[in-house]
Amino acid sequence: MLLFPGQGSQKPGMGKDLAESFPVARGVFGEVDAALGADLSRLSFDGPADELTLTRNAQPALFAHGAAVWSLTREALRPHVRAAAGHSLGEFTAYYAADAISLPGAARLVRRRGELMYETGTARPGTMAAILGATTVSIDEICLRASAESGQVVPANFNTDEQVVISGELAGVERAMELAKEAGAKRAVKLPVSGAFHSPLMEPAVVGLTDAIATSAFTDPVYPVYSNVTAEESTTATEAKDLLLRQLTSPVRWSTEIRNIAARFPDALFVEMGPGSVLTGLMGRLVKGARTFACGTSADVEKLLQMVA
């Protein structure tokens, strides 16, 4: 089972040792650079962090990293892969790994998505916050009350039962944070993002992404890709395009998605392909006894290849 992380996992230096150790990985980064007409690999390898963190850079950089790891493990893993999933932006990488879209096509689409999300966040300012810990009132109810009292806010990422991210107008998010703490949340932490992602405030970006997706060549994935929107599998190019578009303004139902996958593939090894272990870290809280492996460096690649040999 392949997992690909979303924005927030990026960090300077990611992928550098892959490119230095493996010509195939170096080729992937070079192909992404050529597709975008930008030296994105330099930014990934050397930073600076503030520039890499910009949405229009972070998203294609994370895509390139995941694609590079997959390129190094594909031959060995492909016969064993039963499905793939990605958190937000990572879902695009999952479709690439499932042969539903080409490397340059996916890179350009992800860059455009990042640009549109940044532009929309500038035109319609908003923010996001993580609510940590169980609450006596549901996050949906908290957001409805905060929206009525202060400004629009909605659940954006259902990561685990006790980690939900909310998104919306600044006043609405701040009010929801207060209400969550009153309802027993351990912490409510505002996130350093450039907009209210996965909320109705992203609606203006839908127009631009509709055009970008419509002109991107998709084919049916060779194995199912689970959707953030429905938490169920997607098996056709038509579904992929529709769900990736809807994802912009819909919550990421990650906890349900992962539990659905684990129920269908109870003995699966969940391999996270990205610069870190955010998703494998969540797995322990979602599926008891889940087998996981985080693969983001050359040493990780070599260890994974030994595991499946």
Side-chain angles (χ1 to χ4, degrees):
M1 179 69 209
L2 304 179
L3 302 179
F4 296 95
Q7 190 171 345
S9 296
Q10 72 280 348
K11 56 185 177 182
M14 66 181 193
K16 189 171 185 176
D17 77 315
L18 295 174
E20 291 174 345
S21 302
F22 302 104
V24 170
R26 188 160 58 249
V28 169
F29 286 109
E31 192 171 351
V32 171
D33 284 351
L36 301 182
D39 194 2
L40 184 69
S41 57
R42 177 203 57 78
L43 189 59
S44 296
F45 300 162
D46 302 318
D50 56 350
E51 189 176 348
L52 177 61
T53 301
L54 295 175
T55 301
R56 65 179 181 271
N57 293 327
Q59 294 196 16
L62 285 164
F63 165 76
H65 186 276
V69 175
W70 174 239
S71 73
L72 296 169
T73 57
R74 174 177 174 160
E75 185 176 348
L77 294 187
R78 178 73 176 271
H80 307 289
V81 176
R82 295 294 174 264
H87 193 288
S88 190
L89 137 80
E91 195 169 305
F92 287 77
T93 322
Y95 277 109
Y96 164 70
D99 291 345
I101 186 171
S102 70
L103 180 69
R108 287 190 289 266
L109 186 56
V110 167
R111 165 58 73 90
R112 185 63 183 138
R113 178 181 186 264
E115 290 172 343
L116 289 164
M117 291 171 71
Y118 178 80
E119 291 165 4
T120 300
T122 300
R124 298 187 70 183
T127 192
M128 303 175 77
I131 308 301
L132 307 175
T135 54
T136 56
V137 180
S138 74
I139 296 297
D140 291 281
E141 292 178 72
I142 287 170
C143 287
L144 283 173
R145 180 176 167 186
S147 294
E149 294 179 0
S150 302
Q152 189 174 31
V153 56
V154 296
N157 299 336
F158 292 95
N159 290 331
T160 70
D161 297 337
E162 296 191 4
Q163 185 190 118
V164 178
V165 175
I166 58 175
S167 179
E169 296 173 335
L170 179 60
V173 169
E174 290 179 341
R175 179 58 179 146
M177 292 170 69
E178 294 172 355
L179 293 172
K181 285 186 279 190
E182 290 173 9
K186 293 178 182 177
R187 295 175 64 202
V189 184
K190 201 173 291 184
L191 303 179
V193 295
S194 60
F197 304 152
H198 298 291
S199 84
L201 270 69
M202 284 287 112
E203 192 64 41
V206 171
V207 176
L209 191 62
T210 298
D211 292 340
I213 287 179
T215 56
S216 296
F218 275 77
T219 58
D220 294 346
V222 295
Y223 38 75
V225 174
Y226 276 73
S227 165
N228 291 174
V229 175
T230 65
E232 301 292 344
E233 63 178 34
S234 166
T235 59
T236 70
T238 301
E239 281 183 310
K241 288 187 170 189
D242 174 62
L243 291 167
L244 288 174
L245 185 62
R246 289 167 58 191
Q247 191 209 73
L248 263 186
T249 54
S250 301
V252 174
R253 302 187 181 280
W254 190 251
S255 56
T256 304
E257 186 176 341
I258 290 298
R259 284 171 173 149
N260 285 347
I261 295 168
R264 183 164 185 183
F265 307 103
D267 299 321
L269 171 65
F270 289 79
V271 180
E272 178 176 0
M273 296 189 168
S277 55
V278 172
L279 300 182
T280 50
L282 294 178
M283 284 295 304
R285 287 176 257 172
L286 293 172
V287 181
K288 186 177 180 180
R291 297 168 59 227
T292 63
F293 185 82
C295 188
T297 66
S298 58
D300 295 335
V301 167
E302 291 170 354
K303 185 174 180 179
L304 180 61
L305 293 177
Q306 290 174 357
M307 289 169 61
V308 299

